[in-house]
Amino acid sequence: MAHKRKIEQEEKSASYDLEDAMKVTDDIFRLGKENEYNPGAFVHGLIFALESAQQSYNIPHQQIANIRRGYRKYFNEAASNKKIDGQS
């Protein structure tokens, strides 16, 4: 019951969806490509931006960890589906 309540609270607090997050991601990668950033500097900048946003917006570490787990699962499933589709 407590787990269900926590999920409901997270859903209520999220004022965005996956599509919104992917739009931001697309914009970030487009910017990196347009400016021809060095890949190492680009990744370093992304990590710096994440840490800065976490501090500025007081985002709890657990929330960041949940987001990372969710996206890791998303990308692992996408890669797995791609392998399956490639074998067909």
Side-chain angles (χ1 to χ4, degrees):
M1 185 73 135
H3 178 67
K4 183 179 178 183
R5 189 174 307 137
K6 183 178 180 182
I7 291 171
E8 289 172 355
Q9 287 174 345
E10 287 176 1
E11 288 174 355
K12 288 178 185 176
S13 66
S15 58
Y16 62 91
D17 60 15
L18 178 63
E19 186 176 333
D20 294 329
M22 295 306 282
K23 285 178 185 176
V24 172
T25 303
D26 289 343
D27 289 347
I28 291 168
F29 279 100
R30 189 176 315 110
L31 178 66
K33 198 172 195 177
E34 288 172 2
N35 291 322
E36 299 178 356
Y37 292 135
N38 173 287
F42 182 73
V43 170
H44 192 119
L46 290 174
I47 294 167
F48 183 83
L50 171 63
E51 293 297 324
S52 178
Q54 186 175 356
Q55 295 295 318
S56 298
Y57 295 108
N58 296 314
I59 302 170
H61 291 287
Q62 186 61 38
Q63 187 175 355
I64 297 292
N66 288 338
I67 292 168
R68 284 181 176 161
R69 265 193 298 280
Y71 277 107
R72 193 172 297 124
K73 182 179 177 183
Y74 171 83
F75 285 113
N76 286 340
E77 287 176 2
S80 182
N81 288 337
K82 189 175 181 180
K83 287 179 186 176
I84 291 170
D85 290 344
Q87 292 176 354
S88 297

